[in-house]
Amino acid sequence: MAQKLPHRDVVVIGLGWTGSILAEALTSEGLDVVAVERGPWRDTATDFPPSYAPDELRYRIYHELFLQPAQATLTFRNKIGQEALPVRSWGAFMLGNGAGGAGVHWNAETWRFLPSDFELRSHLVQRYGAGFLPPDTAIQDWGITYAELEPYYDRFEYLCGTSGTAGNLRGTIQPGGNPFEGPRSRPYPTPALKQGFSHKLFAKAAAELGYKPFPQPAGNLSQAYTNPHGLQMGPCTYCGFCEWFGCGNYAKASPQTTLLPILVRRPNFEARTNCEVTRINLSRDRKRATGVTYVDSSGQEHDQPADLVLLCGFQTWNVQLLLLSGIGQPYDPVAGTGQIGRNFTHQTVSTATGFFDRAKYNFNPFVAAGAIGMCIDEWNGDNFDHGPYGFIGGGYMGQVQTNGRPIEKTPVPPGTPEWGHGWKQAVRDNYLSTVHTGTGVHGSFSSYRDVYMDLDPTWKDRFGRPLLRATIDFHDNELKMSAFLTEKYAAIIRAMGANQVVSEPRKGPYDITKYQTSHLCGGAIMGTSPADSALNKYLQSWNVPNLFVQGATAFPQNAGYNPTGTVGALAYMSADAIRSQYLKKPGPLVQA
Amino acid sequence: MGRLGRRKLLAGTAVSLIFGTGCWLDGTPARAAIVQGSLPWQPYAGDPPAGIGPGQWHFFSAEEGAMVEALVDRLIPPDADTPGGKDAGCAVFIDRQLAGPYGRSSRSYMRPPFRDGTESQGPQSPLTPADRYRMSLAALDAHCQAAFGRGLPALSPDAQDKLIHGLENNSLPMQGPSARAFFELLLKDTRYGFFADPIYGGNRGMAAWRMIGFPGARYDYRDWIDRHNERYPLPPLGIAGRPAWSDRE
């Protein structure tokens, strides 16, 4: 029998980036906020101190800071009609867990989307005609503009202390920054990170080819910083143990370094860890959320009533919880009905490896940070005329190599044997003089009618509930785009002076075993109408007005950038709307 | 969606109690906790990795251990500058890993049913790494006894290399998991053991890190980010430091 708990004003499901942002915003309004987090509490001194954080086996290979599939997973198939099978071990993406969520172990690449990304469908139709869009496309405008979101990008970047060089200050292009970015109201809070030998060499080669390289915007800070909440962060030490790992220097922006220490001190905030929300409860007419049910680690069920429910989990779990709770209509790809589960997207990444003369080049790959790198944006979004090429989309590209950790990174030229003296010698000869970045090309992923999520008919989780099912494959558009972008990227690596360049464009089918970022998006998208979206521009559910769904779940398609900057900005925009409008007058903020 | 029955819940969450959500490597269960008012702090709450010393096999039998030592020493053979897999401790590493959560697939989703799928759908076997090593080492031994009248460790290095080629190109007849599947599993674990922090039993003396010039568990390169195309001169450090720190003169 579920234990009924005392009422709270707000329940936050998941205490990652968006949960922490929303909890801080609403506790500062005096509301009682309880956050229910499936994973454990985490903090720097206990979980990732410098004394044992740099452990590749534990954190990169065995993913100790991550959610484990034994606790929660999903099923996967490429096509409708195929049987989906469980993802028994992580491969294509790795999902966060615990206080801080993925904010603990991200590499802190902090981008803004382009203005045209938010109005993608209208923009592309206007420029190229509707016939130019790929078959089965599901792309949509977001229902907001970059200009509306800009103040919130700014707020997230100043929360984090993001290190970068502005490219467009209030409409004026700045040297050294990204000339394609949307206008920003002020410079980054801290200067760009320093760059290593290989990163600078990439920039030099790119500039000689006519590109405008710029430093990647980084949530690993170039210098000590005190954020608007008075929390102090340290300078990045270029340790090379960033993504997959927690930062022992307090130098990586995370809920731990930017929000949780002040949030926890507020008497009106409480976090319950190792407690998993199993259902969002609804009123009888299903138009209002009454709270959540969760299970603690002893197996005891609890009912937590609340006036406002904020679903702040990762994209996958948000979609699953909406489906399991009967919120909105599940998407049916054949009938073309329903909003929950549609427009699921990932990222189209690829790379090229450059092997250099070891007598002339020593790159010290272990001297790096999570978001180090020199990038170019000429081939992103609609920054170039797609007409001659027959595909939509693009991505930034760069020498963004973050590490030289040897289990993962001992690249050898093609033809090298996999074992024996030949292998050993090749590893020895190439370790210091190879450029190999996992996501040298960070391409967009368009949305399609047949790429979506629903509930699996066969496999269950540890509570006996259906697993989420993902149906996803690459379409010709993304593969064509990847071939094009990777060739451009390889040309820059060649121009750096590599003896040999091995190009690896993305090839189909979508493979659940090959890591390709954890940027899963969509499933409860934002838009202007309940006819074609699940949420309004403030991430408020059209169906259940006292439910807001945060995160990349809201993206109608994924752009050629890492999503976290946009996730943070949308969270702040949502928080502002709740504070300034919803709390005064609870109900729909946008008329359907 | 009806209410979850308590017994069903307990049965389901038994997994999470035994294997925990906060501490996977040793299986300590994690308790639900309320965080309120101040950041939680407990003395000795940190969780550094336990060191692995040499000694008895924890997982392998003496025969299995000898086979794996021979195999890792051909996969990564010794040369003038760097030890091979055996002296680097790769077999010890693999043994300890198989005795722990990795060997048991504790982190993986291991619920039935198990069905075959496409390659892109990833591994779907109910066999754990521990199962697979047992089965494949037994099959390999059976092959050697039948073909040569001796076990693998007694063969010459050339003969061992031929065997490994047979595993690699899947031509060696094996009962149970395929030769190629065992080759991939063993090669992966051998490389992990070679390059992981020595605290896990492999990479003895940080020999693998010295071989490539990786400085190990160092954490501050601020003095090096601007030094381009210069050799980094300091020896590697592990999580437990390096031997010179405890040298007694």
PDB file of all heavy atoms in Angstrom, chain A residues 62-94:
ATOM      1  N   TYR A  62      33.795   1.217 -17.469  1.00  0.00           N
ATOM      2  CA  TYR A  62      32.687   0.624 -16.721  1.00  0.00           C
ATOM      3  C   TYR A  62      31.606   1.633 -16.318  1.00  0.00           C
ATOM      4  O   TYR A  62      30.635   1.283 -15.665  1.00  0.00           O
ATOM      5  CB  TYR A  62      33.200  -0.154 -15.512  1.00  0.00           C
ATOM      6  CG  TYR A  62      33.958  -1.404 -15.899  1.00  0.00           C
ATOM      7  CD1 TYR A  62      35.145  -1.764 -15.251  1.00  0.00           C
ATOM      8  CD2 TYR A  62      33.505  -2.229 -16.927  1.00  0.00           C
ATOM      9  CE1 TYR A  62      35.839  -2.900 -15.600  1.00  0.00           C
ATOM     10  CE2 TYR A  62      34.207  -3.377 -17.291  1.00  0.00           C
ATOM     11  CZ  TYR A  62      35.379  -3.707 -16.622  1.00  0.00           C
ATOM     12  OH  TYR A  62      36.074  -4.831 -16.969  1.00  0.00           O
ATOM     13  N   HIS A  63      31.781   2.902 -16.716  1.00  0.00           N
ATOM     14  CA  HIS A  63      30.732   3.933 -16.565  1.00  0.00           C
ATOM     15  C   HIS A  63      30.138   3.991 -15.164  1.00  0.00           C
ATOM     16  O   HIS A  63      28.912   4.032 -15.000  1.00  0.00           O
ATOM     17  CB  HIS A  63      29.577   3.687 -17.547  1.00  0.00           C
ATOM     18  CG  HIS A  63      29.979   3.130 -18.867  1.00  0.00           C
ATOM     19  ND1 HIS A  63      29.436   1.985 -19.392  1.00  0.00           N
ATOM     20  CD2 HIS A  63      30.895   3.551 -19.767  1.00  0.00           C
ATOM     21  CE1 HIS A  63      30.005   1.749 -20.558  1.00  0.00           C
ATOM     22  NE2 HIS A  63      30.885   2.676 -20.808  1.00  0.00           N
ATOM     23  N   GLU A  64      30.962   4.029 -14.154  1.00  0.00           N
ATOM     24  CA  GLU A  64      30.418   3.918 -12.807  1.00  0.00           C
ATOM     25  C   GLU A  64      29.499   5.067 -12.416  1.00  0.00           C
ATOM     26  O   GLU A  64      28.599   4.907 -11.608  1.00  0.00           O
ATOM     27  CB  GLU A  64      31.539   3.799 -11.775  1.00  0.00           C
ATOM     28  CG  GLU A  64      30.970   3.457 -10.407  1.00  0.00           C
ATOM     29  CD  GLU A  64      32.029   3.181  -9.376  1.00  0.00           C
ATOM     30  OE1 GLU A  64      32.788   2.218  -9.588  1.00  0.00           O
ATOM     31  OE2 GLU A  64      32.098   3.917  -8.378  1.00  0.00           O
ATOM     32  N   LEU A  65      29.706   6.238 -13.006  1.00  0.00           N
ATOM     33  CA  LEU A  65      28.853   7.373 -12.633  1.00  0.00           C
ATOM     34  C   LEU A  65      27.523   7.361 -13.379  1.00  0.00           C
ATOM     35  O   LEU A  65      26.675   8.207 -13.126  1.00  0.00           O
ATOM     36  CB  LEU A  65      29.589   8.691 -12.907  1.00  0.00           C
ATOM     37  CG  LEU A  65      30.803   8.939 -12.021  1.00  0.00           C
ATOM     38  CD1 LEU A  65      31.542  10.195 -12.476  1.00  0.00           C
ATOM     39  CD2 LEU A  65      30.395   9.091 -10.557  1.00  0.00           C
ATOM     40  N   PHE A  66      27.347   6.416 -14.277  1.00  0.00           N
ATOM     41  CA  PHE A  66      26.167   6.412 -15.137  1.00  0.00           C
ATOM     42  C   PHE A  66      25.080   5.513 -14.605  1.00  0.00           C
ATOM     43  O   PHE A  66      25.301   4.650 -13.756  1.00  0.00           O
ATOM     44  CB  PHE A  66      26.551   5.943 -16.540  1.00  0.00           C
ATOM     45  CG  PHE A  66      27.352   6.951 -17.294  1.00  0.00           C
ATOM     46  CD1 PHE A  66      28.663   7.210 -16.948  1.00  0.00           C
ATOM     47  CD2 PHE A  66      26.783   7.664 -18.333  1.00  0.00           C
ATOM     48  CE1 PHE A  66      29.407   8.168 -17.626  1.00  0.00           C
ATOM     49  CE2 PHE A  66      27.521   8.612 -19.029  1.00  0.00           C
ATOM     50  CZ  PHE A  66      28.830   8.856 -18.671  1.00  0.00           C
ATOM     51  N   LEU A  67      23.894   5.686 -15.161  1.00  0.00           N
ATOM     52  CA  LEU A  67      22.830   4.716 -14.991  1.00  0.00           C
ATOM     53  C   LEU A  67      23.303   3.384 -15.555  1.00  0.00           C
ATOM     54  O   LEU A  67      23.987   3.343 -16.572  1.00  0.00           O
ATOM     55  CB  LEU A  67      21.611   5.208 -15.782  1.00  0.00           C
ATOM     56  CG  LEU A  67      20.345   4.402 -15.698  1.00  0.00           C
ATOM     57  CD1 LEU A  67      19.733   4.534 -14.323  1.00  0.00           C
ATOM     58  CD2 LEU A  67      19.361   4.882 -16.757  1.00  0.00           C
ATOM     59  N   GLN A  68      22.976   2.292 -14.892  1.00  0.00           N
ATOM     60  CA  GLN A  68      23.333   0.981 -15.421  1.00  0.00           C
ATOM     61  C   GLN A  68      22.111   0.333 -16.051  1.00  0.00           C
ATOM     62  O   GLN A  68      21.012   0.409 -15.498  1.00  0.00           O
ATOM     63  CB  GLN A  68      23.880   0.098 -14.301  1.00  0.00           C
ATOM     64  CG  GLN A  68      25.081   0.695 -13.571  1.00  0.00           C
ATOM     65  CD  GLN A  68      26.305   0.875 -14.458  1.00  0.00           C
ATOM     66  OE1 GLN A  68      26.419   0.250 -15.521  1.00  0.00           O
ATOM     67  NE2 GLN A  68      27.219   1.742 -14.058  1.00  0.00           N
ATOM     68  N   PRO A  69      22.269  -0.341 -17.180  1.00  0.00           N
ATOM     69  CA  PRO A  69      21.113  -0.987 -17.816  1.00  0.00           C
ATOM     70  C   PRO A  69      20.376  -1.947 -16.882  1.00  0.00           C
ATOM     71  O   PRO A  69      19.175  -2.127 -17.020  1.00  0.00           O
ATOM     72  CB  PRO A  69      21.732  -1.722 -19.006  1.00  0.00           C
ATOM     73  CG  PRO A  69      22.965  -0.938 -19.317  1.00  0.00           C
ATOM     74  CD  PRO A  69      23.474  -0.451 -17.992  1.00  0.00           C
ATOM     75  N   ALA A  70      21.065  -2.541 -15.921  1.00  0.00           N
ATOM     76  CA  ALA A  70      20.374  -3.422 -14.971  1.00  0.00           C
ATOM     77  C   ALA A  70      19.290  -2.660 -14.216  1.00  0.00           C
ATOM     78  O   ALA A  70      18.286  -3.225 -13.816  1.00  0.00           O
ATOM     79  CB  ALA A  70      21.363  -4.033 -13.987  1.00  0.00           C
ATOM     80  N   GLN A  71      19.508  -1.347 -14.022  1.00  0.00           N
ATOM     81  CA  GLN A  71      18.513  -0.548 -13.306  1.00  0.00           C
ATOM     82  C   GLN A  71      17.407  -0.056 -14.236  1.00  0.00           C
ATOM     83  O   GLN A  71      16.236  -0.094 -13.887  1.00  0.00           O
ATOM     84  CB  GLN A  71      19.181   0.642 -12.625  1.00  0.00           C
ATOM     85  CG  GLN A  71      18.209   1.451 -11.782  1.00  0.00           C
ATOM     86  CD  GLN A  71      18.877   2.584 -11.037  1.00  0.00           C
ATOM     87  OE1 GLN A  71      20.068   2.849 -11.193  1.00  0.00           O
ATOM     88  NE2 GLN A  71      18.114   3.282 -10.222  1.00  0.00           N
ATOM     89  N   ALA A  72      17.801   0.458 -15.396  1.00  0.00           N
ATOM     90  CA  ALA A  72      16.805   0.945 -16.360  1.00  0.00           C
ATOM     91  C   ALA A  72      17.422   0.924 -17.742  1.00  0.00           C
ATOM     92  O   ALA A  72      18.581   1.317 -17.910  1.00  0.00           O
ATOM     93  CB  ALA A  72      16.357   2.369 -16.015  1.00  0.00           C
ATOM     94  N   THR A  73      16.643   0.489 -18.701  1.00  0.00           N
ATOM     95  CA  THR A  73      17.124   0.484 -20.075  1.00  0.00           C
ATOM     96  C   THR A  73      15.929   0.622 -21.022  1.00  0.00           C
ATOM     97  O   THR A  73      14.821   0.925 -20.589  1.00  0.00           O
ATOM     98  CB  THR A  73      17.964  -0.771 -20.383  1.00  0.00           C
ATOM     99  OG1 THR A  73      18.588  -0.624 -21.652  1.00  0.00           O
ATOM    100  CG2 THR A  73      17.105  -2.033 -20.382  1.00  0.00           C
ATOM    101  N   LEU A  74      16.152   0.405 -22.302  1.00  0.00           N
ATOM    102  CA  LEU A  74      15.089   0.480 -23.290  1.00  0.00           C
ATOM    103  C   LEU A  74      15.335  -0.595 -24.331  1.00  0.00           C
ATOM    104  O   LEU A  74      16.349  -1.294 -24.273  1.00  0.00           O
ATOM    105  CB  LEU A  74      15.048   1.870 -23.948  1.00  0.00           C
ATOM    106  CG  LEU A  74      16.341   2.418 -24.543  1.00  0.00           C
ATOM    107  CD1 LEU A  74      16.037   3.375 -25.691  1.00  0.00           C
ATOM    108  CD2 LEU A  74      17.099   3.201 -23.484  1.00  0.00           C
ATOM    109  N   THR A  75      14.402  -0.743 -25.258  1.00  0.00           N
ATOM    110  CA  THR A  75      14.625  -1.677 -26.364  1.00  0.00           C
ATOM    111  C   THR A  75      14.827  -0.873 -27.633  1.00  0.00           C
ATOM    112  O   THR A  75      14.463   0.307 -27.714  1.00  0.00           O
ATOM    113  CB  THR A  75      13.447  -2.658 -26.548  1.00  0.00           C
ATOM    114  OG1 THR A  75      12.268  -1.909 -26.917  1.00  0.00           O
ATOM    115  CG2 THR A  75      13.184  -3.454 -25.283  1.00  0.00           C
ATOM    116  N   PHE A  76      15.390  -1.528 -28.639  1.00  0.00           N
ATOM    117  CA  PHE A  76      15.768  -0.821 -29.853  1.00  0.00           C
ATOM    118  C   PHE A  76      15.525  -1.669 -31.093  1.00  0.00           C
ATOM    119  O   PHE A  76      15.782  -2.878 -31.100  1.00  0.00           O
ATOM    120  CB  PHE A  76      17.257  -0.429 -29.771  1.00  0.00           C
ATOM    121  CG  PHE A  76      17.899  -0.219 -31.111  1.00  0.00           C
ATOM    122  CD1 PHE A  76      17.627   0.930 -31.855  1.00  0.00           C
ATOM    123  CD2 PHE A  76      18.716  -1.190 -31.675  1.00  0.00           C
ATOM    124  CE1 PHE A  76      18.190   1.101 -33.118  1.00  0.00           C
ATOM    125  CE2 PHE A  76      19.285  -1.020 -32.928  1.00  0.00           C
ATOM    126  CZ  PHE A  76      19.021   0.127 -33.645  1.00  0.00           C
ATOM    127  N   ARG A  77      15.053  -1.021 -32.139  1.00  0.00           N
ATOM    128  CA  ARG A  77      14.989  -1.639 -33.464  1.00  0.00           C
ATOM    129  C   ARG A  77      15.227  -0.547 -34.480  1.00  0.00           C
ATOM    130  O   ARG A  77      15.009   0.646 -34.192  1.00  0.00           O
ATOM    131  CB  ARG A  77      13.621  -2.269 -33.696  1.00  0.00           C
ATOM    132  CG  ARG A  77      12.471  -1.271 -33.658  1.00  0.00           C
ATOM    133  CD  ARG A  77      11.117  -1.951 -33.807  1.00  0.00           C
ATOM    134  NE  ARG A  77      10.041  -0.955 -33.809  1.00  0.00           N
ATOM    135  CZ  ARG A  77       8.756  -1.244 -33.965  1.00  0.00           C
ATOM    136  NH1 ARG A  77       8.367  -2.518 -34.125  1.00  0.00           N
ATOM    137  NH2 ARG A  77       7.838  -0.291 -33.950  1.00  0.00           N
ATOM    138  N   ASN A  78      15.644  -0.936 -35.696  1.00  0.00           N
ATOM    139  CA  ASN A  78      15.866   0.065 -36.736  1.00  0.00           C
ATOM    140  C   ASN A  78      14.551   0.465 -37.406  1.00  0.00           C
ATOM    141  O   ASN A  78      14.349   1.631 -37.728  1.00  0.00           O
ATOM    142  CB  ASN A  78      16.827  -0.461 -37.806  1.00  0.00           C
ATOM    143  CG  ASN A  78      18.279  -0.447 -37.358  1.00  0.00           C
ATOM    144  OD1 ASN A  78      18.964  -1.453 -37.383  1.00  0.00           O
ATOM    145  ND2 ASN A  78      18.776   0.709 -36.943  1.00  0.00           N
ATOM    146  N   LYS A  79      13.701  -0.514 -37.638  1.00  0.00           N
ATOM    147  CA  LYS A  79      12.537  -0.237 -38.486  1.00  0.00           C
ATOM    148  C   LYS A  79      11.245  -0.743 -37.833  1.00  0.00           C
ATOM    149  O   LYS A  79      11.248  -1.750 -37.114  1.00  0.00           O
ATOM    150  CB  LYS A  79      12.683  -0.984 -39.828  1.00  0.00           C
ATOM    151  CG  LYS A  79      13.897  -0.614 -40.644  1.00  0.00           C
ATOM    152  CD  LYS A  79      13.622   0.601 -41.526  1.00  0.00           C
ATOM    153  CE  LYS A  79      14.748   0.904 -42.475  1.00  0.00           C
ATOM    154  NZ  LYS A  79      15.454   2.138 -42.109  1.00  0.00           N
ATOM    155  N   ILE A  80      10.169  -0.079 -38.168  1.00  0.00           N
ATOM    156  CA  ILE A  80       8.837  -0.572 -37.801  1.00  0.00           C
ATOM    157  C   ILE A  80       8.676  -1.960 -38.422  1.00  0.00           C
ATOM    158  O   ILE A  80       9.070  -2.173 -39.567  1.00  0.00           O
ATOM    159  CB  ILE A  80       7.752   0.376 -38.360  1.00  0.00           C
ATOM    160  CG1 ILE A  80       7.880   1.743 -37.707  1.00  0.00           C
ATOM    161  CG2 ILE A  80       6.354  -0.205 -38.143  1.00  0.00           C
ATOM    162  CD1 ILE A  80       7.059   2.827 -38.393  1.00  0.00           C
ATOM    163  N   GLY A  81       8.112  -2.877 -37.658  1.00  0.00           N
ATOM    164  CA  GLY A  81       7.912  -4.229 -38.179  1.00  0.00           C
ATOM    165  C   GLY A  81       8.986  -5.184 -37.691  1.00  0.00           C
ATOM    166  O   GLY A  81       8.782  -6.393 -37.622  1.00  0.00           O
ATOM    167  N   GLN A  82      10.147  -4.650 -37.330  1.00  0.00           N
ATOM    168  CA  GLN A  82      11.222  -5.456 -36.759  1.00  0.00           C
ATOM    169  C   GLN A  82      10.914  -5.663 -35.282  1.00  0.00           C
ATOM    170  O   GLN A  82      10.199  -4.868 -34.676  1.00  0.00           O
ATOM    171  CB  GLN A  82      12.504  -4.640 -36.915  1.00  0.00           C
ATOM    172  CG  GLN A  82      13.789  -5.396 -36.872  1.00  0.00           C
ATOM    173  CD  GLN A  82      14.978  -4.431 -36.803  1.00  0.00           C
ATOM    174  OE1 GLN A  82      14.854  -3.245 -37.069  1.00  0.00           O
ATOM    175  NE2 GLN A  82      16.123  -4.953 -36.430  1.00  0.00           N
ATOM    176  N   GLU A  83      11.443  -6.718 -34.672  1.00  0.00           N
ATOM    177  CA  GLU A  83      11.282  -6.854 -33.226  1.00  0.00           C
ATOM    178  C   GLU A  83      12.380  -6.056 -32.530  1.00  0.00           C
ATOM    179  O   GLU A  83      13.558  -6.227 -32.816  1.00  0.00           O
ATOM    180  CB  GLU A  83      11.369  -8.325 -32.788  1.00  0.00           C
ATOM    181  CG  GLU A  83      11.145  -8.470 -31.281  1.00  0.00           C
ATOM    182  CD  GLU A  83      11.124  -9.902 -30.761  1.00  0.00           C
ATOM    183  OE1 GLU A  83      11.908 -10.743 -31.257  1.00  0.00           O
ATOM    184  OE2 GLU A  83      10.317 -10.181 -29.847  1.00  0.00           O
ATOM    185  N   ALA A  84      11.980  -5.214 -31.598  1.00  0.00           N
ATOM    186  CA  ALA A  84      12.960  -4.461 -30.815  1.00  0.00           C
ATOM    187  C   ALA A  84      13.529  -5.378 -29.746  1.00  0.00           C
ATOM    188  O   ALA A  84      12.815  -6.219 -29.179  1.00  0.00           O
ATOM    189  CB  ALA A  84      12.308  -3.245 -30.163  1.00  0.00           C
ATOM    190  N   LEU A  85      14.829  -5.226 -29.463  1.00  0.00           N
ATOM    191  CA  LEU A  85      15.485  -6.043 -28.450  1.00  0.00           C
ATOM    192  C   LEU A  85      16.099  -5.139 -27.386  1.00  0.00           C
ATOM    193  O   LEU A  85      16.454  -3.988 -27.667  1.00  0.00           O
ATOM    194  CB  LEU A  85      16.576  -6.904 -29.083  1.00  0.00           C
ATOM    195  CG  LEU A  85      16.112  -7.908 -30.122  1.00  0.00           C
ATOM    196  CD1 LEU A  85      17.289  -8.723 -30.630  1.00  0.00           C
ATOM    197  CD2 LEU A  85      15.056  -8.858 -29.540  1.00  0.00           C
ATOM    198  N   PRO A  86      16.262  -5.660 -26.156  1.00  0.00           N
ATOM    199  CA  PRO A  86      16.788  -4.795 -25.092  1.00  0.00           C
ATOM    200  C   PRO A  86      18.214  -4.328 -25.371  1.00  0.00           C
ATOM    201  O   PRO A  86      19.030  -5.059 -25.932  1.00  0.00           O
ATOM    202  CB  PRO A  86      16.784  -5.695 -23.852  1.00  0.00           C
ATOM    203  CG  PRO A  86      15.906  -6.837 -24.166  1.00  0.00           C
ATOM    204  CD  PRO A  86      15.929  -6.999 -25.651  1.00  0.00           C
ATOM    205  N   VAL A  87      18.487  -3.098 -24.951  1.00  0.00           N
ATOM    206  CA  VAL A  87      19.854  -2.597 -24.921  1.00  0.00           C
ATOM    207  C   VAL A  87      20.447  -3.121 -23.612  1.00  0.00           C
ATOM    208  O   VAL A  87      20.185  -2.562 -22.548  1.00  0.00           O
ATOM    209  CB  VAL A  87      19.879  -1.057 -24.973  1.00  0.00           C
ATOM    210  CG1 VAL A  87      21.307  -0.554 -24.967  1.00  0.00           C
ATOM    211  CG2 VAL A  87      19.136  -0.554 -26.196  1.00  0.00           C
ATOM    212  N   ARG A  88      21.175  -4.223 -23.709  1.00  0.00           N
ATOM    213  CA  ARG A  88      21.615  -4.926 -22.494  1.00  0.00           C
ATOM    214  C   ARG A  88      22.869  -4.292 -21.888  1.00  0.00           C
ATOM    215  O   ARG A  88      23.082  -4.392 -20.678  1.00  0.00           O
ATOM    216  CB  ARG A  88      21.822  -6.413 -22.801  1.00  0.00           C
ATOM    217  CG  ARG A  88      20.493  -7.105 -23.211  1.00  0.00           C
ATOM    218  CD  ARG A  88      20.621  -8.613 -23.345  1.00  0.00           C
ATOM    219  NE  ARG A  88      19.363  -9.246 -23.731  1.00  0.00           N
ATOM    220  CZ  ARG A  88      18.407  -9.610 -22.870  1.00  0.00           C
ATOM    221  NH1 ARG A  88      18.568  -9.404 -21.579  1.00  0.00           N
ATOM    222  NH2 ARG A  88      17.289 -10.171 -23.303  1.00  0.00           N
ATOM    223  N   SER A  89      23.686  -3.673 -22.743  1.00  0.00           N
ATOM    224  CA  SER A  89      24.827  -2.876 -22.272  1.00  0.00           C
ATOM    225  C   SER A  89      24.832  -1.607 -23.100  1.00  0.00           C
ATOM    226  O   SER A  89      24.477  -1.650 -24.276  1.00  0.00           O
ATOM    227  CB  SER A  89      26.142  -3.602 -22.501  1.00  0.00           C
ATOM    228  OG  SER A  89      26.132  -4.849 -21.866  1.00  0.00           O
ATOM    229  N   TRP A  90      25.246  -0.517 -22.515  1.00  0.00           N
ATOM    230  CA  TRP A  90      25.240   0.747 -23.262  1.00  0.00           C
ATOM    231  C   TRP A  90      26.231   0.710 -24.404  1.00  0.00           C
ATOM    232  O   TRP A  90      27.279   0.080 -24.327  1.00  0.00           O
ATOM    233  CB  TRP A  90      25.583   1.928 -22.365  1.00  0.00           C
ATOM    234  CG  TRP A  90      24.621   2.219 -21.267  1.00  0.00           C
ATOM    235  CD1 TRP A  90      24.932   2.521 -19.983  1.00  0.00           C
ATOM    236  CD2 TRP A  90      23.177   2.246 -21.323  1.00  0.00           C
ATOM    237  NE1 TRP A  90      23.790   2.719 -19.242  1.00  0.00           N
ATOM    238  CE2 TRP A  90      22.703   2.557 -20.035  1.00  0.00           C
ATOM    239  CE3 TRP A  90      22.227   2.019 -22.337  1.00  0.00           C
ATOM    240  CZ2 TRP A  90      21.339   2.676 -19.718  1.00  0.00           C
ATOM    241  CZ3 TRP A  90      20.877   2.124 -22.028  1.00  0.00           C
ATOM    242  CH2 TRP A  90      20.452   2.445 -20.740  1.00  0.00           C
ATOM    243  N   GLY A  91      25.897   1.413 -25.449  1.00  0.00           N
ATOM    244  CA  GLY A  91      26.777   1.543 -26.602  1.00  0.00           C
ATOM    245  C   GLY A  91      26.606   2.909 -27.223  1.00  0.00           C
ATOM    246  O   GLY A  91      27.420   3.787 -27.048  1.00  0.00           O
ATOM    247  N   ALA A  92      25.470   3.089 -27.942  1.00  0.00           N
ATOM    248  CA  ALA A  92      25.279   4.289 -28.760  1.00  0.00           C
ATOM    249  C   ALA A  92      25.140   5.554 -27.937  1.00  0.00           C
ATOM    250  O   ALA A  92      25.383   6.653 -28.436  1.00  0.00           O
ATOM    251  CB  ALA A  92      24.056   4.120 -29.654  1.00  0.00           C
ATOM    252  N   PHE A  93      24.722   5.426 -26.684  1.00  0.00           N
ATOM    253  CA  PHE A  93      24.570   6.580 -25.809  1.00  0.00           C
ATOM    254  C   PHE A  93      24.707   6.070 -24.378  1.00  0.00           C
ATOM    255  O   PHE A  93      24.595   4.872 -24.123  1.00  0.00           O
ATOM    256  CB  PHE A  93      23.216   7.264 -26.006  1.00  0.00           C
ATOM    257  CG  PHE A  93      22.061   6.304 -26.140  1.00  0.00           C
ATOM    258  CD1 PHE A  93      21.478   5.748 -25.012  1.00  0.00           C
ATOM    259  CD2 PHE A  93      21.572   5.946 -27.390  1.00  0.00           C
ATOM    260  CE1 PHE A  93      20.426   4.836 -25.127  1.00  0.00           C
ATOM    261  CE2 PHE A  93      20.516   5.046 -27.514  1.00  0.00           C
ATOM    262  CZ  PHE A  93      19.949   4.485 -26.379  1.00  0.00           C
ATOM    263  N   MET A  94      24.991   6.995 -23.462  1.00  0.00           N
ATOM    264  CA  MET A  94      25.161   6.581 -22.065  1.00  0.00           C
ATOM    265  C   MET A  94      24.395   7.574 -21.208  1.00  0.00           C
ATOM    266  O   MET A  94      24.553   8.781 -21.393  1.00  0.00           O
ATOM    267  CB  MET A  94      26.622   6.613 -21.698  1.00  0.00           C
ATOM    268  CG  MET A  94      27.450   5.853 -22.679  1.00  0.00           C
ATOM    269  SD  MET A  94      28.333   4.542 -21.938  1.00  0.00           S
ATOM    270  CE  MET A  94      29.046   3.813 -23.385  1.00  0.00           C
TER     271      MET A  94
END
